[in-house]
Amino acid sequence: MRRGPSAAGRTRWLALAACLLIAACRHAPAPRAPGTASVFEQGSFKAVLVNGGGNREMNFQSHLTHVRDLVALLHANGGSAADLTIFSGDGADPAPDLATRAHIEDDADNGFWLVPPGLLRALNPIEYIDSTVAGYTLQPATHEALQAWVADQGKTLGAGDTLLFYVTDHGELNKADPTNNSIVLWKEKLTVVQLRQLFAQLDPRVRIVMLMSQCFGGSFANVIFPGDGTLTATGNVCGYFASSADRPAYGCYPENRGVDAVGHSYHFFEGLAALGRMPEAHRRVLVTDDSPDVPNTTSDFYLQQLLAQQAKAENRSPTEIADAYIAAAFRDRARWEPEIRQLDRVGATFGMFSPRSLAELDQQTNLLPQVSEQLRTYAQRWREALEALKLQNFQRFVDADPTWKDRLLPDALKDLDAAQRSALLDALVPALERFTDADRVTKDRLDTLRERERAAAAAAYRMEVRLGVVLRLRALLDQIAGRVYLAERGTQVERQTYAALVGCEDVAFVAEPEYAAAAAMDAPAPFPPLQDDREVMQRVMPAWMGIQFKPLTEAQRKKEGRTPGAVAVLVVYPGSAAERAGLEVGDVILGPPGAPFQEPHQVREWVMQREIGEAAPIEVVHNGNLRTVTLHPEPYPIKMPELPGPPKVGDAGPPLKLEPFRGDPQLGAGKPRLLFFWATWCLPCKFSVPEVMAFAQARGVEVIAITDEDTATLEKFFKERREPFPATVAIDAYRSAFQAYGVSGTPTFVLLGANGKVEYYRSGYSLEKGLDIPGWKYSRPPASPTPVP
């Protein structure tokens, strides 16, 4: 077991702590006290603002809003247009490069949510405009334009000057090498390696401060290193990042799409305006950013790399190494009061405990993603039920007033301009609301489904935020551990490098800020306690039956006299409530006794709202006979039970439950047969037919052509087809054979011996390879015509 620092070690630590706290280390720029000169009063200052966007579809309005906000902040504190260069989208090209959409609030006070999503998008389409920032000529966000800036304005920067490099954009993860992620430029990418090379062209005495709010942005902390695997850094390049190298930032979460005043950039600018200095703005962001961001700095990153380097050398985990140093530090907690108070502020704001070791956070680091995934699954299930009911409600609405059906036809919409579509939507929503409100039963169902979907999604998002907070707390603890490492084991170069990074990061933009320190500001509104979300989770947990189903066709319903809500069972999951109740593939579910379902997907909604474990009787038709089965629904599983895979060669083939369409009604029972899973639209299936028939004739095997299409489709297909086709065709209406034989695509071929055992199994077909059945070789006719439908 590792021991804490010795008395001599503690003495060295106290000396280093004093050095770092008052920035007296050699070569380290002194931190600026509040009220001292801002960066605009020290040498030359330049700022490069990057919003690539990728393309006009991905270039969102929120990114440009961040650029404008930073421009305003810099101007308000001494910056000038000559100091700032903006690289955004396609630059000054007047062609539209920015995606905007009329903002529609999705709250309880309007009825936009009642409109089916596809129609809502058609009536509220994305509008593309040209990016502009008042007073600036935008440059294209490209490698060429950035390189031109370095060769021109960049060359004017020298010792004592500062460059702020700000990015608000999309970021991409490099799964093969997360140390070399990329920023999305305009139809290009800028990697860590390329940015390092770009900075290397500037005078090495220039202070370069990165401020990056894109996904996976923490990877760009690697710019401080030379890229040769060593942890050497000059300390003149540093920065702040919205998230770590392996995590998305706030903009990648659907809860934040089209929402203002959220995420790293917003909170950093707000903190900077009040506090004046970047380190204090960062400390404030750790408490105020209520998104899943994980704000971090290059000095944090440097310490984490030193700890990881030691862990690797000693073949121990980074957590074990860090916790040993943290334990040593906290033997004298009074000396670490500012750091402990910061941990407490973050924990209290987000309804979490304040940790004193990394080990305390491990359980939450592992558990929170699982809980979030579970809640996301619940939200998706409620959303599916809600969308199905919305569609049924809307269909009843247009059926009740056919004039709306005519006005909303695609041909009618295509000739409308944006203003006309907006006016049509404004007229549609109140009419749809009045219709829905008049049907209280449906309205109550819609409200219940919507409330549960929103509650589950919101709780899932809060779990993602809490995970981000856990990672923020880890970074704060790693910082403590790393500083103790420097005192106990760090080399002079490592200490100087860390001090230089801390100094580089300490940039003042406001000469006389309102607050001297983040700790002096009021705490933000607290996050809902974790216990509240545990209760939400119990309330929104949907019940589950354990089937896959499909609505009966109109012809089936008319023939059997069923209501529109009758559904056929396609899959019964092993070990599910449905299996225990005796449901089988091919059964037709009608609804609760005396209350048959009236909508095609109502069975899902009905089951989801049952009490878990309580008896729920339901009527089904089994082999033509009406019976009542009793379900005892269970919690919805996060991972579906695995269905049986395809039978292997040598296994007994599952029995066939098919509807004969033509040919042998016994489906070749007791004979060698080739099961040919196909579809009328499948071109490889048609190419395979000549060889299939040649094989059958040569081997004396009966071909059973199995499809899941209906009788009308097959009748039309064979009426038009002129080429030979297997004589026996069967319909797998409930896909029971597809499921039993694990058919994931057509064509699939299964050769069964007379004993019913599988002798050959293959999915897919190509003319070059053909059927690769052992002992079989097909000689294709030299002028084989292309099969036709």
Side-chain angles (χ1 to χ4, degrees):
M1 179 179 295
R2 179 177 175 78
R3 296 178 179 177
S6 62
R10 284 194 293 274
T11 300
R12 289 196 300 274
W13 160 243
L14 292 175
L16 178 63
C19 169
L20 294 177
L21 289 173
I22 66 174
C25 294
R26 280 191 309 155
H27 310 299
R32 298 164 185 79
T36 59
S38 72
V39 70
F40 304 110
E41 299 168 318
Q42 304 172 44
S44 294
F45 170 79
K46 299 287 184 184
V48 167
L49 285 64
V50 180
N51 168 35
N55 53 54
R56 69 176 195 169
E57 289 78 17
M58 293 174 57
N59 193 15
F60 301 146
Q61 180 77 42
S62 59
H63 296 158
L64 194 61
T65 298
H66 292 323
V67 169
R68 291 169 176 164
D69 288 347
L70 180 55
V71 168
L73 187 149
L74 295 176
H75 277 302
N77 292 284
S80 69
D83 298 328
L84 280 61
T85 306
I86 303 172
F87 298 85
S88 182
D90 62 9
D93 188 332
D97 66 348
L98 186 71
T100 66
R101 191 193 291 274
H103 188 57
I104 294 178
E105 292 291 342
D106 182 18
D107 58 34
D109 298 327
N110 64 48
F112 288 102
W113 66 277
L114 291 169
V115 182
L119 178 60
L120 186 59
R121 286 191 294 270
L123 294 175
N124 182 43
I126 294 174
E127 181 182 359
Y128 298 103
I129 63 174
D130 185 34
S131 300
T132 60
V133 176
Y136 287 85
T137 299
L138 302 186
Q139 303 299 312
T142 61
H143 282 278
E144 182 180 5
L146 287 168
Q147 184 64 55
W149 182 91
V150 169
D152 180 19
Q153 294 195 47
K155 294 300 183 183
T156 68
L157 295 171
D161 297 337
T162 297
L163 168 64
L164 175 66
F165 191 85
Y166 171 69
V167 178
T168 172
D169 199 350
H170 299 288
E172 291 189 354
L173 173 66
N174 180 352
K175 293 182 179 179
D177 181 9
T179 67
N180 193 33
N181 292 348
S182 58
I183 300 163
V184 178
L185 299 179
W186 183 253
K187 301 181 180 179
E188 299 176 356
K189 297 179 183 178
L190 178 67
T191 66
V192 169
V193 170
Q194 291 168 332
L195 185 60
R196 182 188 293 124
Q197 293 169 347
L198 198 69
F199 287 164
Q201 299 174 49
L202 299 174
D203 188 317
R205 298 169 297 173
V206 175
R207 173 167 58 178
I208 303 172
V209 184
M210 299 174 284
L211 178 56
M212 296 187 170
S213 288
Q214 80 277 14
C215 294
F216 313 110
S219 175
F220 282 81
N222 288 284
V223 168
I224 69 174
F225 300 135
D228 59 3
T230 63
L231 301 183
T232 57
T234 63
N236 72 303
V237 180
C238 59
Y240 297 82
F241 311 95
S243 198
S244 54
D246 59 346
R247 277 179 60 84
Y250 67 96
C252 289
Y253 292 86
E255 289 80 2
N256 298 323
R257 290 173 189 160
V259 180
D260 294 325
V262 66
H264 184 256
S265 281
Y266 170 80
H267 289 283
F268 201 98
F269 298 161
E270 186 181 54
L272 196 56
L275 293 157
R277 295 169 52 227
M278 295 185 84
E280 290 302 321
H282 171 69
R283 293 185 184 98
R284 180 66 175 171
V285 169
L286 292 172
V287 178
T288 59
D289 187 349
D290 55 354
S291 78
D293 288 343
V294 186
N296 61 98
T297 69
T298 39
S299 57
D300 294 337
F301 177 74
Y302 181 66
L303 294 178
Q304 289 168 345
Q305 299 310 301
L306 293 177
L307 294 171
Q309 179 177 260
Q310 181 187 342
K312 183 178 181 180
E314 297 181 11
N315 195 27
R316 299 164 68 194
S317 74
T319 294
E320 183 184 2
I321 291 288
D323 274 350
Y325 289 125
I326 293 167
F330 286 170
R331 290 193 182 99
D332 186 359
R333 295 196 179 192
R335 197 175 302 281
W336 293 91
E337 182 183 0
E339 290 76 14
I340 292 173
R341 288 190 179 276
Q342 178 74 353
L343 287 166
D344 292 347
R345 277 191 293 272
V346 175
T349 299
F350 293 97
M352 304 175 69
F353 74 99
S354 181
R356 297 297 181 263
S357 71
L358 294 181
E360 294 176 54
L361 295 173
D362 282 347
Q363 182 179 10
Q364 293 192 34
T365 303
N366 296 326
L367 181 62
L368 285 170
Q370 298 173 29
V371 176
S372 178
E373 180 186 4
Q374 190 169 359
L375 284 163
R376 291 277 182 200
T377 301
Y378 293 170
Q380 178 62 27
R381 298 292 82 82
W382 290 116
R383 188 178 304 117
E384 290 168 356
L386 175 63
E387 294 303 327
L389 183 54
K390 280 167 56 176
L391 197 59
Q392 290 296 315
N393 181 62
F394 188 79
Q395 186 61 53
R396 289 194 287 264
F397 165 72
V398 295
D399 288 344
D401 187 352
T403 59
W404 276 112
K405 183 181 293 187
D406 295 336
R407 295 174 69 183
L408 298 174
L409 289 172
D411 287 344
L413 295 179
K414 70 180 182 181
D415 296 327
L416 302 181
D417 60 25
Q420 291 171 321
R421 291 182 183 219
S422 180
L424 183 58
L425 182 60
D426 288 341
L428 169 64
V429 168
L432 180 56
E433 277 190 297
R434 288 191 296 271
F435 174 85
T436 305
D437 288 344
D439 181 355
R440 291 310 309 172
V441 173
T442 298
K443 180 62 163 58
D444 288 345
R445 290 169 59 196
L446 286 165
D447 286 344
T448 297
L449 294 175
R450 184 170 184 244
E451 187 278 329
R452 294 195 181 182
E453 184 271 330
R454 287 160 66 99
Y461 179 68
R462 288 193 293 271
M463 292 299 173
E464 291 287 349
V465 174
R466 289 190 178 95
L467 176 59
V469 171
V470 167
L471 297 176
R472 297 178 203 182
L473 295 169
R474 292 186 72 94
L476 289 171
L477 289 169
D478 272 336
Q479 185 184 108
I480 294 170
R483 288 164 61 187
V484 177
Y485 162 85
L486 288 176
E488 176 70 11
R489 300 185 55 155
T491 66
Q492 182 68 15
V493 170
E494 289 172 345
R495 296 171 185 175
Q496 290 174 355
T497 299
Y498 176 68
L501 287 171
V502 170
C504 176
E505 293 164 2
D506 192 5
V507 185
F509 285 91
V510 182
E512 296 183 2
E514 182 179 359
Y515 295 94
M521 298 182 71
D522 291 338
F527 216 56
L530 185 58
Q531 180 57 37
D532 288 2
D533 282 337
R534 291 195 182 103
E535 294 172 3
V536 169
M537 190 169 185
Q538 291 298 317
R539 182 169 59 81
V540 302
M541 182 186 296
W544 184 66
M545 180 194 308
I547 65 168
Q548 291 181 19
F549 65 89
K550 74 171 183 178
L552 298 184
T553 65
E554 186 174 357
Q556 287 174 313
R557 286 197 295 105
K558 287 182 178 179
K559 178 181 177 182
E560 300 174 17
R562 305 303 179 198
T563 61
V567 300
V569 177
L570 300 180
V571 174
V572 177
Y573 283 98
S576 66
E579 185 182 63
R580 289 192 294 273
L583 281 174
E584 297 182 13
V585 172
D587 286 352
V588 175
I589 297 176
L590 303 180
F597 297 133
Q598 300 299 317
E599 297 157 7
H601 296 276
Q602 193 174 350
V603 60
R604 174 170 49 198
E605 176 190 343
W606 179 84
V607 171
M608 288 170 65
Q609 297 192 55
R610 297 308 93 200
E611 289 292 333
I612 292 171
E614 291 192 6
I618 193 168
E619 290 186 335
V620 302
V621 178
H622 176 75
N623 292 334
N625 299 314
L626 181 66
R627 66 171 180 166
T628 299
V629 301
T630 301
L631 297 165
H632 291 83
E634 54 198 45
Y636 201 96
I638 297 307
K639 183 179 180 181
M640 289 296 182
E642 291 189 7
L643 295 171
K648 298 180 176 63
V649 172
D651 289 349
L656 297 173
K657 297 180 181 179
L658 305 171
E659 176 188 341
F661 173 77
R662 72 176 194 189
D664 181 7
Q666 302 302 315
L667 304 177
K671 306 175 185 176
R673 46 188 173 168
L674 179 66
L675 307 184
F676 171 39
F677 292 89
W678 70 291
T680 59
W681 46 265
C682 167
L683 192 60
C685 298
K686 297 167 188 175
F687 284 133
S688 72
V689 168
E691 182 173 1
V692 165
M693 297 187 69
F695 172 79
Q697 184 176 9
R699 292 286 186 90
V701 170
E702 184 165 354
V703 178
I704 313 300
I706 304 170
T707 179
D708 60 356
E709 295 168 293
D710 59 25
T711 300
T713 301
L714 293 180
E715 287 175 345
K716 183 176 183 294
F717 174 81
F718 286 115
K719 183 177 180 181
E720 297 174 351
R721 182 176 176 84
R722 298 292 178 266
E723 298 297 313
F725 198 87
T728 299
V729 177
I731 298 175
D732 188 11
Y734 303 118
R735 293 181 58 83
S736 60
F738 275 75
Q739 294 284 345
Y741 283 89
V743 177
S744 57
T746 54
T748 290
F749 309 93
V750 183
L751 180 62
L752 300 176
N755 59 1
K757 291 188 176 181
V758 177
E759 297 180 354
Y760 170 83
Y761 186 103
R762 163 108 182 265
S763 291
Y765 183 85
S766 67
L767 292 175
E768 295 76 18
K769 192 170 184 180
L771 295 175
D772 54 352
I773 298 174
W776 165 252
K777 184 172 179 60
Y778 178 56
S779 298
R780 189 172 299 280
S784 178
T786 300
V788 297

